[in-house]
Amino acid sequence: AQSVTQLGSHVSVSEGALVLLRCNYSSSVPPYLFWYVQYPNQGLQLLLKYTSAATLVKGINGFEAEFKKSETSFHLTKPSAHMSDAAEYFCAVSPLGFGNEKLTFGTGTRLTIIP
Amino acid sequence: KAGVTQTPRYLIKTRGQQVTLSCSPISGHRSVSWYQQTPGQGLQFLFEYFSETQRNKGNFPGRFSGRQFSNSRSEMNVSTLELGDSALYLCASSPLQVNTEAFFGQGTRLTVV
């Protein structure tokens, strides 16, 4: 079964600093990969997705992620953190094709921004 | 374009009761998935419906069930509620299949007392 591992359940960065949230997937075949953000008492909002096109994926709010097959990684980055980025971030994986249409989520990383 | 609407937003039920949650997907979307989110287990897949048919089911007991109507609206039902069913239940809407893009509602917060 496919899975994702998010390293670091809590990450703190200073406002204006680089944000790096780590995600590694396990799959023999590169799957679809996603990053979602969740604000308190809200649902999940899609930040970006990798669906086997470009390996560097740009998303909303200045976030981007790079798919690295050799490292089975899909880390999320943002050059300069903003206070509004404080939230919980989830990496998710889904297999290619039809027949198993579901998302498997990582355990999440809570991002705190230090003023 | 309206987003995914889940009702109600908050619900308090007593152990042993049953509950029905509703999800209206984005207009034109035919796939609806349900997820349970708890602090201990994280986000877990419940089931997925497409054109009124359940295509996938997660590892949850039979007390958890769902259905989808011809207008793509979906409901999930939990019978004989247990304290451990307290969670945020999230619905996701996709045009055809979730592994292309899924849009989530704000969720229904269920508390079982």
Side-chain angles (χ1 to χ4, degrees):
Chain A
Q2 297 185 333
S3 65
V4 289
T5 301
Q6 291 185 241
L7 296 176
S9 57
H10 291 87
V11 170
S12 296
V13 301
S14 298
E15 190 176 15
L18 171 72
V19 175
L20 171 61
L21 305 183
R22 299 177 188 273
C23 173
N24 288 87
Y25 68 91
S26 65
S27 173
S28 57
V29 176
Y32 293 142
L33 292 159
F34 307 83
W35 275 99
Y36 283 88
V37 61
Q38 186 177 36
Y39 298 99
N41 297 315
Q42 298 294 318
L44 301 173
Q45 181 182 13
L46 179 67
L47 281 175
L48 48 82
K49 60 180 180 180
Y50 168 77
T51 55
S52 74
T55 57
L56 182 61
V57 182
K58 294 188 182 300
I60 63 171
N61 302 338
F63 285 94
E64 63 181 37
E66 185 172 8
F67 174 76
K68 291 186 176 180
K69 183 178 177 181
S70 61
E71 299 177 8
T72 60
S73 68
F74 190 58
H75 302 332
L76 181 71
T77 60
K78 182 174 180 178
S80 177
H82 191 273
M83 294 301 294
S84 61
D85 295 328
E88 189 150 23
Y89 292 79
F90 293 92
C91 181
V93 64
S94 184
L96 299 179
F98 292 95
N100 192 22
E101 291 81 357
K102 69 175 184 180
L103 293 169
T104 300
F105 288 90
T107 51
T109 298
R110 186 170 299 279
L111 177 64
T112 299
I113 310 298
I114 303 166
Chain B
K1 200 172 190 181
V4 180
T5 303
Q6 291 189 245
T7 56
R9 286 292 312 277
Y10 301 92
L11 207 49
I12 299 176
K13 289 287 188 178
T14 304
R15 263 186 309 174
Q17 287 186 314
Q18 75 164 15
V19 67
T20 300
L21 312 181
S22 180
C23 172
S24 292
I26 293 171
S27 177
H29 286 194
R30 295 167 65 186
S31 168
V32 173
S33 305
W34 289 89
Y35 293 80
Q36 181 196 63
Q37 185 177 25
T38 60
Q41 300 298 318
L43 282 152
Q44 294 188 289
F45 171 75
L46 281 157
F47 27 65
E48 187 257 356
Y49 288 88
F50 180 84
S51 293
E52 302 179 67
T53 301
Q54 185 182 90
R55 290 196 298 193
N56 290 283
K57 189 176 190 303
N59 295 323
F60 279 82
R63 300 185 297 106
F64 291 81
S65 62
R67 59 178 175 169
Q68 186 181 33
F69 302 95
S70 58
N71 61 359
S72 293
R73 190 178 70 86
S74 177
E75 290 181 345
M76 69 163 282
N77 184 77
V78 188
S79 63
T80 319
L81 284 166
E82 300 176 359
L83 295 179
D85 297 332
S86 296
L88 180 66
Y89 290 88
L90 293 165
C91 166
S93 158
S94 303
L96 286 176
Q97 53 190 100
V98 72
N99 52 14
T100 51
E101 192 157 17
F103 298 87
F104 283 81
Q106 291 191 306
T108 294
R109 171 77 62 186
L110 172 65
T111 302
V112 182
V113 298

